[in-house]
């Protein structure tokens, strides 16, 4: 029987053998898609106030319900593969890289501070992005326009993943704007541009960078929608931004 | 030729192979195109990055994960080799394709790309120990197939 390394190589060779040529530059250099932001229309202040009050009630009510149901809130989404450290086996190792070493598990990293380019009110502050509760951040009725979230850690951390948590409650999810695409900067250097699926709950992204300051710039949003006859809100909403990784050894 | 085009031309084949290993040959071009187009649409130039290869490889890995999330019900399919003398077992190929994306990425770079764990870690922004752990998990799964 072939060893696992040889089997991997053969399997990947089969994949590579069937890989078509890369797209030409002409195919890549297409005009960028327009930002999906509908035209702004005026909204009476009383609607915003009612919406904010409704959201607050939903948060409080939802929190109570979640408490009754035992829902832990935004879940840790470290991939299972990264969570479990299995025991080493005696399998022969085809390369030195195969030696299984003890490795610290990625752990939740708590930023010291979170700041947003705007906030709807005291009930939707940026700090709710990192508080581990169902409370959410909302921008100040800007539909995500120019939204930037910045997080500071007390000391440099090795970030493995960032997890963007969309709202989970269907009505709140639908009636708010959601992040569709974002750029991530670590200590001011761009490290990631990624798409967020338009779905409730957590969405993890590999980061793999040491940083003290992490900036998330919103590039594109999904539009808010009416839900069961209730009108859409004007706010971009994010329930939580979770960081996983480790603090560097001193 | 622009800087963007130069950078793309330099890395496109490697990106395609990497993407094919992650999502299958049929969708690899979509993944690579999406990654590069998105970077350009964000107003970035491929020449902006200090380490464009590492940035692009990580971007492909992230896009592959999004791809899998979007098409969870439709796993990548690669026909087994037509050559009857080929040494690739369809069950092994299927097992490789069922690995989680990160494990697939790491095993591809180590076993096909000939990189070491620290090199893979540097490329994908992971600790060498994490790379080794993914290798170990992937090997365990493949051994189950081979031993079965």
């Amino acid at each position: 029987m072939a060893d696992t390394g040889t089997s991997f190589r053969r399997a990947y060779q089969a994949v590579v053998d069937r890989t078509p040529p890369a797209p030409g530059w002409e195919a890549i250099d297409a005009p960028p898609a327009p930002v999906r932001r509908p035209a702004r229309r005026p909204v009476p202040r009383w609607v915003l106030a009612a919406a904010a009050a409704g959201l607050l009630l939903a948060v409080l009510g939802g929190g109570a319900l979640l408490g009754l149901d035992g829902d832990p809130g935004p879940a840790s989404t470290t991939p299972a593969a990264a969570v479990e450290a299995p025991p080493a086996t005696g399998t022969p190792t085809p390369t030195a890289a195969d030696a299984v070493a003890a490795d610290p598990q990625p752990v939740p990293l708590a930023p010291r501070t979170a700041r947003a380019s705007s906030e709807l009110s005291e009930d939707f502050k940026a700090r709710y992005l990192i508080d581990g509760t169902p409370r959410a951040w909302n921008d100040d009725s800007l539909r995500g326009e120019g939204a930037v979230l910045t997080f500071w850690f007390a000391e440099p951390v090795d970030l493995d993943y960032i997890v963007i948590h969309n709202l989970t409650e269907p009505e709140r999810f639908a009636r708010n704007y959601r992040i569709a695409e974002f750029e991530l900067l670590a200590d001011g250097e761009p490290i990631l541009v990624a798409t967020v699926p338009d779905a409730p709950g957590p969405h993890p992204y590999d980061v793999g960078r040491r940083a003290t300051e992490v900036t998330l710039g919103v590039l594109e949003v999904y539009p808010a929608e009416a839900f069961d006859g209730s009108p859409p809100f004007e706010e971009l909403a994010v329930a939580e931004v979770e960081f996983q990784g480790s603090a560097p050894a001193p | 030729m622009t800087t963007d085009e130069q950078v793309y031309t330099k890395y496109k084949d490697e990106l395609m192979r990497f993407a094919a290993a992650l999502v299958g040959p049929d969708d690899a071009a979509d993944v690579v195109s999406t990654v590069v187009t998105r970077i350009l649409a964000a107003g970035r130039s491929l020449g902006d990055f200090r380490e464009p290869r590492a940035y692009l490889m990580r971007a492909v890995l992230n896009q592959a994960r999004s791809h899998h999330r979007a098409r969870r019900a439709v796993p990548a399919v690669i026909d087994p080799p037509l050559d009857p003398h080929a040494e690739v077992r369809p069950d092994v190929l299927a097992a490789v394709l069922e690995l989680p994306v990160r494990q697939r990425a790491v095993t591809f770079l180590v076993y096909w790309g000939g990189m070491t764990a620290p090199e893979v870690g540097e490329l994908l922004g992971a600790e060498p120990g994490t790379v080794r752990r993914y290798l170990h998990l992937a090997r365990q799964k493949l051994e189950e197939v081979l031993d079965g």
Side-chain angles (χ1 to χ4, degrees), chain A residues 101-185:
Chain A
D103 184 52
Q105 301 299 317
V107 296
L109 299 170
R112 185 180 57 187
T113 313
R115 191 169 296 166
S117 47
S118 74
E119 296 167 335
L120 176 63
S121 70
E122 284 295 316
D123 295 319
F124 300 96
K125 302 283 283 183
R127 67 169 176 266
Y128 297 137
L129 289 165
I130 55 174
D131 68 345
T133 75
R135 304 188 80 166
W137 163 77
N138 281 189
D139 75 351
D140 191 14
S141 308
L142 297 172
R143 303 180 176 198
E145 184 78 53
V148 177
L149 305 173
T150 308
F151 305 88
W152 287 272
F153 292 89
E155 57 181 348
V157 293
D158 287 327
L159 283 176
D160 287 340
Y161 323 108
I162 179 174
V163 187
I164 295 177
H165 291 258
N166 278 334
L167 296 168
T168 53
E169 197 272 318
E171 178 172 352
R172 294 177 64 207
F173 171 80
R175 295 180 68 192
N176 283 287
Y177 284 74
R178 289 88 59 187
I179 296 178
E181 195 167 293
F182 69 93
E183 179 181 45
L184 203 70
L185 295 90

Side-chain angles (χ1 to χ4, degrees), chain A residues 4 9-10 12-13 18-20 22-23 28 81 86-87 91 98-99 103 161 183 191-192 195 206 208-209, chain B residues 8 16 20 36 38 44 55 58 62 65 81 87 102 104 107 111-112 125 130 132-133 136-137 139 143:
Chain A
T4 52
R9 274 190 290 278
R10 287 176 181 162
Y12 283 128
Q13 187 64 53
R18 288 160 176 73
T19 303
I28 294 290
T91 307
D98 281 335
D103 184 52
Y161 323 108
E183 179 181 45
I191 56 169
L192 173 67
T195 301
D206 283 280
R209 185 61 66 95
Chain B
Y8 175 71
M16 274 294 286
V36 178
R38 182 177 299 147
R44 299 282 177 194
Y55 184 96
R58 279 200 295 265
N62 274 306
R65 295 180 68 204
E87 295 178 286
R102 287 173 208 245
R104 209 184 303 175
T107 51
Y111 289 112
W112 197 89
T130 305
R132 292 187 191 103
R133 194 169 63 238
H136 175 75
L137 290 167
R139 256 202 348 258
E143 281 165 5

Side-chain angles (χ1 to χ4, degrees), chain B residues 59-123:
Chain B
V60 165
L61 178 59
N62 274 306
Q63 182 60 27
R65 295 180 68 204
S66 297
H67 179 93
H68 279 285
R69 283 195 292 268
R71 302 187 180 194
R72 196 160 280 164
V74 187
V77 174
I78 301 170
D79 295 331
L82 297 175
D83 179 359
H85 302 295
E87 295 178 286
V88 180
R89 287 170 43 178
D91 55 342
V92 171
L93 189 54
V96 168
L97 294 175
E98 285 176 6
L99 291 173
V101 172
R102 287 173 208 245
Q103 291 178 30
R104 209 184 303 175
V106 166
T107 51
F108 173 77
L109 294 171
V110 169
Y111 289 112
W112 197 89
M115 299 172 72
T116 65
E119 287 170 344
V120 173
E122 192 172 337
L123 189 67

